[in-house]
Amino acid sequence: MAQYHSKPVNEQGLVDWSVEEDRVWRDLVKRQLSLVEKRACKEYLAGLRMLDLPLERAPQIVDINKVLASATGWQVEPVPALINFDRFFALLAEKKFPVATFLRSREEFDYLQEPDFFHEIFGHCAMLTNPEFAKFTQTYGQLGREASDKERVYLARLYWFTVEFGLVKEGDETKIYGGGILSSPGETLYALDDPAAKREVFDIHTVLRTPYRIDIMQPEYFVLDDIQQLYKLSQMDLMFHVKQAMKAGLLPPLFEPKEVTHA
Ligand SMILES: [Fe+2]
């Protein structure tokens, strides 16, 4: 796996993307735009229009922040490739979405485990223009900031099955709002169409108890009735549900345990 480091952000808030990085962005966006047009939820597509991301070069955070500031008061915050949970929750609580300023290499064009600039910006920022989604994400940060380590592990599943891998009903159709899906061409198709994947009605108790793996296509997705449901979740006593889920324990995983190697 390539070793990634965030690129420096100068005093004007700009990243000096190289010609090759601009091309990587262009190729990623070109491929993904045609896929999400008919598969992403209307809130995501509206956000994408507001962001008006460049197609021929990697975007700049300052431009994204202007749009987010007027839509929901959110900001994108440049961070090193990896940050700890304390910092992650604290940033979300302050309506700052952490974004590492590196782009994947050509060798990992289709899939990489580390969230890169394309995943964060193309996958997540459009939904952050939506007030209900934005409120839910901030509440998640506030709860996580105060939670114990064990509670955080349970809370992380809520984030995983919503912000990262969430699906939502739209009339008779199912659409995508999760950034982990929308930044991955393979999973954009698989999540909606593959008969191998389960698509369950969103239930908070089940979600909090469902184990996941970060290195495979998800065997199971949870489908919201609508995006407003995220706002309703943010108004519930979510920590009560976390405690209930901790008492009940994890559900049996739908995947094989990950093989441990010592390579
Ligand atoms: Fe993400």
Side-chain angles (χ1 to χ4, degrees):
M1 194 196 284
Q3 289 293 311
Y4 294 109
H5 301 284
S6 282
K7 295 196 72 163
V9 180
N10 74 14
E11 281 168 20
Q12 285 80 46
L14 302 174
V15 174
D16 185 15
W17 297 110
S18 70
V19 172
E20 172 56 12
E21 285 162 334
D22 281 341
R23 286 186 187 137
V24 166
W25 173 272
R26 177 197 66 194
D27 294 346
L28 286 166
V29 168
K30 204 190 281 177
R31 180 173 67 170
Q32 200 59 8
L33 266 182
S34 60
L35 286 175
V36 302
E37 256 167 30
K38 292 201 165 54
R39 295 177 178 87
C41 70
K42 57 183 188 296
E43 291 82 358
Y44 174 90
L45 294 172
L48 211 51
R49 282 192 293 275
M50 287 166 77
L51 288 173
D52 194 21
L53 296 171
L55 304 181
E56 296 296 327
R57 58 164 179 88
Q60 295 291 347
I61 286 168
V62 283
D63 296 326
I64 290 157
N65 279 346
K66 280 180 206 147
V67 176
L68 292 181
S70 68
T72 54
W74 272 73
Q75 293 287 273
V76 155
E77 175 86 2
V79 296
L82 292 170
I83 57 169
N84 65 28
F85 257 150
D86 280 340
R87 177 104 196 272
F88 180 68
F89 285 120
L91 284 171
L92 294 184
E94 293 165 22
K95 298 167 71 163
K96 290 179 181 157
F97 199 79
V99 167
T101 47
F102 72 89
L103 275 164
R104 68 193 66 185
S105 65
R106 292 271 173 196
E107 291 72 48
E108 292 189 292
F109 200 73
D110 288 331
Y111 182 76
L112 76 170
Q113 279 191 32
E114 281 182 73
D116 76 338
F117 194 69
F118 178 74
H119 165 77
E120 305 289 18
I121 301 298
F122 190 88
H124 289 304
C125 285
M127 285 307 292
L128 284 170
T129 64
N130 176 271
E132 279 130 350
F133 179 91
K135 176 69 187 165
F136 171 78
T137 309
Q138 183 186 12
T139 302
Y140 173 80
Q142 290 165 334
L143 295 174
R145 197 172 48 180
E146 311 299 328
S148 70
D149 287 350
K150 188 157 183 220
E151 287 166 343
R152 283 176 172 183
V153 174
Y154 275 77
L155 266 180
R157 294 193 191 98
L158 176 59
Y159 190 88
W160 187 261
F161 289 113
T162 55
V163 176
E164 294 292 357
F165 289 95
L167 301 179
V168 59
K169 281 270 160 233
E170 211 167 84
D172 295 335
E173 293 182 285
T174 302
K175 300 281 178 138
I176 307 166
Y177 71 95
I181 307 175
L182 290 169
S183 57
S184 155
E187 196 143 359
T188 297
L189 298 171
Y190 169 90
L192 290 185
D193 302 330
D194 199 299
K198 289 174 77 180
R199 298 166 194 90
E200 309 284 340
V201 172
F202 185 95
D203 168 67
I204 183 67
H205 194 60
T206 308
V207 165
L208 290 168
R209 297 177 60 211
T210 300
Y212 64 83
R213 260 174 62 177
I214 68 165
D215 58 336
I216 54 172
M217 298 266 193
Q218 301 303 305
E220 188 169 19
Y221 301 91
F222 294 95
V223 188
L224 297 174
D225 293 335
D226 49 35
I227 291 296
Q228 287 81 32
Q229 202 178 343
L230 291 176
Y231 177 77
K232 288 178 197 150
L233 280 165
S234 78
Q235 302 301 298
M236 283 169 39
D237 184 356
L238 285 171
M239 292 315 293
F240 167 79
H241 290 283
V242 166
K243 289 182 179 92
Q244 293 294 107
M246 285 166 68
K247 261 187 229 162
L250 282 181
L251 292 163
L254 295 178
F255 48 77
E256 293 296 314
K258 190 175 178 179
E259 219 175 284
V260 178
T261 61
H262 298 280

